[in-house]
């Protein structure tokens, strides 16, 4: 009897027919024996995670900028429309970039897209720092939006495809931790420069520094092994995995197993694509590439498991923004200024610190508790915080005109609002702030980049909507009505999560698809255990 584990992984096309390449028994490389990520994967994760820092900094710094810019832009104070456009243009252009870079990540590789995003981060930051008009600021924020849209989906994808499955959740959460860290740094920088003349220019301009550093460091980092296998560079993929898993016979067995699974998935997809009449080799010209791109989009919606993965990923990303969290990131200083805090930028730092600290809690718990359970526990905390905040705003008399700078209500209510917002942010950071970015694990390799890009585009479409509507909603519905609407969104999110989101913690990237192949997979989680409602 032939031992499949002893067979060479890399065969030539002449040696093995296409319909037999994936045959053979599975080798016994079990990733569950791993006790901790190696030094190499930590370095890769933190290098890639700098994009998360930039993402967080550029979304968080606008809060301090809006209250510090004064009449520096177009020689007049910013109007409500100006503020809405300056904040929402970033998310709109992130929405534009996400589907495009999803295609580029398949064609060029994950790493090159991150490097391209770094160039855009530097250009956008310097543009904002030098502009003297509202529309110049909008243009600079739009360039940053292209960078954020590119990095926000490809960095979690890059980390996910490199990570051993027992630690994938935690390592992807590093990117989210960097986002919250970037937001916290943005508030600190905003506070330090808030009293300086033209200090806001330093706030936005400093975003160029980490982008330049990441570009230099990431240049020497490898591409993901799964993309390398897909691109036909299998030996290079093996070398990357050897560095990820380390030395020893047990680790070599795991590397062999992972590569066999990736190869089998690719071969099965190539066979299926051939049956659909799609050219397998992307080197036959642009018509072949366009045909493969169109086929990827078609497979996302026509194959049941892919379609269910796309619905879940888009659902989570949409709820992450429609719950209103980024309204706090964009306008927290404005809100705290209205309710009477003397140092609104410093007060906003409480929000950023809470977000960072509870993202750290999520980092330690997401692989232990599980993605589904942590969402079902944390979303009700968000709803409670929003309802308390809505009730507190009912007793706050906001200024009726711009001549009044802040509310004149009893002093008990502003701290009450701050406490309620802190509870809401804590719940968000534990669950919805992190779990949606695990999206790439839901998709098979053939549509992983495209599916992740579409889900990220949903995030930015929802983000744009929130950025455009928050201040008008505060005026039309009042703060009480606005935060009540966000609480209703949280309640809807909990119901949908309970119904259709399965547990994926501990499963290999090539194994998650089995959960969604014939249904939503909610009732059967890891190791076949029932998880519905638990």
């Amino acid at each position: 009897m032939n031992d499949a584990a002893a067979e060479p992984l890399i065969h030539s096309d002449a040696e093995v027919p296409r319909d037999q390449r994936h045959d053979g028994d599975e080798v016994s490389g079990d990733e569950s024996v791993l006790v901790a990520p190696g030094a190499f994967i930590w370095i890769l994760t933190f290098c890639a995670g700098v994009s998360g820092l930039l993402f967080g900094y550029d979304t968080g710094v606008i809060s301090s900028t809006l209250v510090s810019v004064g009449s520096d832009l177009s020689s007049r104070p910013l109007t409500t429309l100006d503020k809405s456009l300056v904040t929402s243009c970033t998310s709109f252009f992130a929405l534009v970039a996400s589907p495009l870079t999803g295609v580029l990540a398949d064609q060029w590789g994950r790493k090159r897209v991150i490097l391209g995003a770094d160039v855009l981060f530097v250009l956008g930051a310097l543009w904002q720092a030098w502009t003297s008009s509202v529309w110049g600021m909008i243009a600079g924020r739009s360039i940053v939006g292209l960078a954020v849209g590119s990095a926000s989906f490809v960095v979690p994808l890059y980390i996910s495809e490199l990570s051993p499955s027992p630690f994938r959740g935690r390592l992807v959460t590093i990117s989210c931790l960097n986002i919250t860290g970037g937001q916290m740094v943005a508030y600190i920088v905003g506070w330090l420069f808030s009293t300086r003349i033209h200090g806001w220019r330093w706030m936005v301009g400093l975003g160029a520094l980490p982008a330049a550093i990441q570009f230099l460091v990431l240049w020497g980092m490898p591409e993901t092994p799964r993309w390398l296998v897909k691109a036909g560079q299998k030996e290079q993929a093996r070398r990357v995995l050897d560095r990820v898993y380390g030395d020893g016979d047990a680790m070599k067995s795991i590397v062999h197993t992972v590569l066999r699974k990736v190869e089998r998935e690719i071969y099965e997809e190539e066979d299926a694509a051939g049956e659909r009449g799609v050219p397998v080799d992307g080197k036959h010209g642009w018509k072949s590439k366009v045909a493969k791109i169109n086929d990827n989009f078609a497979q996302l919606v026509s194959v049941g498991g892919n379609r269910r993965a796309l619905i879940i990923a888009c659902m989570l990303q949409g709820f992450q923004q429609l719950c209103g969290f980024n309204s706090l990131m964009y306008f927290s200083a404005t809100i705290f200024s209205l309710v009477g805090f003397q140092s609104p930028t410093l007060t906003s730092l409480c929000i950023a610190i809470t977000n960072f600290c509870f993202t750290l809690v999520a980092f330690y718990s997401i692989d232990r508790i599980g993605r589904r359970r942590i969402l079902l526990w944390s979303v009700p905390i968000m709803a409670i915080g929003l309802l308390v905040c809505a009730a507190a705003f009912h007793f706050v008399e906001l200024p009726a005109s711009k001549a009044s700078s802040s509310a004149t209500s009893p002093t008990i209510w502003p701290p009450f609002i701050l406490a309620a917002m802190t509870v809401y942010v804590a719940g968000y950071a534990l669950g919805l702030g992190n779990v949606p970015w695990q999206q790439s694990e839901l998709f098979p390799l053939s549509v992983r980049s495209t599916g992740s890009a579409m889900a990220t585009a949903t995030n930015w479409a929802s983000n744009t909507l929130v950025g455009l509507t928050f201040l008008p909603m505060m005026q039309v519905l009042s703060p009480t009505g606005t935060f009540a609407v966000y609480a209703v969104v949280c309640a809807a999110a909990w119901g949908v999560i309970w119904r259709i989101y399965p547990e994926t913690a501990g499963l290999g990237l090539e194994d998650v698809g089995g959960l969604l192949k014939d249904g939503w997979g909610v009732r059967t989680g890891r190791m076949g255990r029932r998880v519905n409602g638990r």
Side-chain angles (χ1 to χ4, degrees):
M1 180 176 178
N2 293 334
D3 186 1
E7 297 174 1
L9 171 67
I10 308 302
H11 303 287
S12 69
D13 291 349
E15 293 174 326
V16 182
R18 174 180 294 278
D19 61 353
Q20 297 177 10
R21 291 181 200 169
H22 57 272
D23 291 346
D25 298 331
E26 194 64 70
V27 294
S28 56
D30 185 3
E31 290 184 88
S32 64
V33 302
L34 299 172
V35 295
F40 180 67
I41 187 63
W42 280 118
I43 293 171
L44 283 175
T45 300
F46 279 104
C47 288
V50 174
S51 289
L53 181 73
L54 290 163
F55 175 3
Y57 185 87
D58 281 300
T59 55
V61 77
I62 196 62
S63 176
S64 302
T65 302
L66 291 177
V67 297
S68 302
V69 70
S71 301
D72 287 352
L73 296 176
S74 299
S75 301
R76 59 176 174 79
L78 296 179
T79 65
T80 297
L81 178 61
D82 291 336
K83 292 179 181 179
S84 296
L85 289 175
V86 167
T87 53
S88 62
C89 68
T90 303
S91 50
F92 175 76
F93 278 89
L95 164 63
V96 172
S98 297
L100 174 61
T101 50
V103 174
L104 295 179
D106 272 338
Q107 298 295 321
W108 296 352
R110 287 46 163 148
K111 186 179 108 171
R112 290 179 182 175
V113 173
I114 299 175
L115 294 175
D118 285 334
V119 174
L120 291 173
F121 272 122
V122 172
L123 179 60
L126 297 179
W127 189 309
Q128 291 176 81
W130 285 101
T131 190
S132 59
S133 68
V134 171
W135 285 105
M137 174 62 80
I138 291 172
R141 297 290 298 171
S142 298
I143 295 172
V144 167
L146 294 174
V148 169
S150 303
S152 61
F153 103 87
V154 79
V155 169
L157 174 61
Y158 180 83
I159 296 172
S160 180
E161 289 192 341
L162 278 160
S163 302
S165 59
F167 320 116
R168 188 175 62 245
R170 273 176 282 173
L171 293 174
V172 173
T173 303
I174 289 289
S175 179
C176 300
L177 192 63
N178 283 340
I179 293 173
T180 60
Q183 291 166 342
M184 188 168 62
V185 170
Y187 282 120
I188 293 173
V189 170
W191 172 55
L192 292 175
F193 286 96
S194 60
T195 57
R196 297 193 179 190
I197 299 175
H198 308 308
W200 66 270
R201 297 188 184 276
W202 284 97
M203 297 178 197
V204 295
L206 284 173
L209 181 60
I213 294 174
Q214 184 188 44
F215 184 90
L216 296 175
V217 174
L218 196 64
W219 190 269
M221 296 294 107
E223 184 53 79
T224 74
R226 286 168 171 86
W227 186 86
L228 289 170
V229 173
K230 191 176 180 181
Q233 303 176 43
K234 299 172 186 177
E235 285 298 342
Q236 188 174 346
R238 184 192 291 276
R239 289 195 292 271
V240 174
L241 284 173
D242 284 339
R243 297 178 70 185
V244 168
Y245 288 96
D247 299 324
D249 292 338
M251 296 302 103
K252 291 185 181 300
S253 178
I254 292 175
V255 169
H256 189 86
T257 301
V258 171
L259 282 172
R260 287 292 294 268
K261 287 181 178 180
V262 175
E263 272 197 306
R264 184 171 60 244
E265 184 178 0
I266 292 172
Y267 292 147
E268 289 173 352
E269 171 54 29
E270 287 179 350
D271 288 338
E275 292 175 2
R276 296 193 300 268
V278 179
V280 172
D281 190 350
K283 298 180 181 179
H284 289 165
W286 66 269
K287 290 185 178 180
S288 175
K289 294 181 185 296
V290 171
K292 292 185 69 175
I293 292 169
N294 289 337
D295 183 64
N296 277 349
F297 280 105
Q299 292 310 299
L300 266 178
V301 296
S302 63
V303 176
N306 295 348
R307 183 173 62 251
R308 283 183 280 272
L310 183 64
I311 290 171
I312 291 171
C314 290
M315 174 269 295
L316 290 176
Q317 291 286 16
F319 280 129
Q320 186 192 70
Q321 297 303 321
L322 294 176
C323 71
F325 174 77
N326 269 343
S327 63
L328 290 185
M329 289 297 100
Y330 297 149
F331 303 113
S332 59
T334 302
I335 294 171
F336 293 138
S337 176
L338 287 174
V339 299
F341 284 98
Q342 296 301 310
S343 180
T345 300
L346 184 59
T347 307
S348 297
L349 185 58
C350 297
I351 299 296
I353 291 175
T354 300
N355 193 20
F356 179 81
C357 291
F358 280 87
T359 301
L360 196 59
V361 174
F363 166 77
Y364 283 106
S365 59
I366 192 168
D367 283 321
R368 296 177 175 88
I369 296 176
R371 287 84 153 125
R372 172 183 166 86
R373 187 176 297 178
I374 206 169
L375 281 176
L376 292 176
W377 288 356
S378 62
V379 171
I381 295 174
M382 295 171 58
I384 291 171
L386 287 168
L387 289 174
V388 172
C389 192
F393 264 114
H394 179 71
F395 299 99
V396 175
E397 184 178 350
L398 297 178
S401 67
K402 294 181 181 179
S404 302
S405 60
S406 63
T408 57
S409 305
T411 57
I412 185 177
W413 296 114
F416 209 76
I417 290 171
L418 176 61
M421 286 186 177
T422 301
V423 170
Y424 162 69
V425 170
Y428 177 88
L430 281 172
L432 268 181
N434 294 283
V435 174
W437 296 113
Q438 309 290 333
Q439 60 193 9
S440 58
E441 68 185 9
L442 296 169
F443 299 98
L445 181 60
S446 59
V447 295
R448 185 171 295 147
S449 180
T450 306
S452 298
M454 296 300 292
T456 305
T458 303
N459 179 295
W460 290 113
S462 304
N463 194 323
T464 302
L465 180 63
V466 169
L468 280 173
T469 60
F470 177 71
L471 290 180
M473 284 175 65
M474 291 276 284
Q475 293 177 344
V476 175
L477 298 180
S478 77
T480 296
T482 299
F483 285 97
V485 167
Y486 292 148
V488 171
V489 171
C490 289
W494 190 93
V496 176
I497 291 165
W498 188 83
R499 289 288 298 175
I500 71 172
Y501 182 47
E503 185 56 73
T504 59
L507 294 176
L509 281 179
E510 287 68 45
D511 301 322
V512 174
L515 280 177
L516 302 172
K517 183 177 181 180
D518 299 314
W520 294 106
V522 170
R523 292 185 176 274
T524 305
R526 183 176 46 171
M527 303 299 292
R529 292 195 293 261
R530 286 178 62 86
V531 297
N532 190 17
R534 292 173 53 192

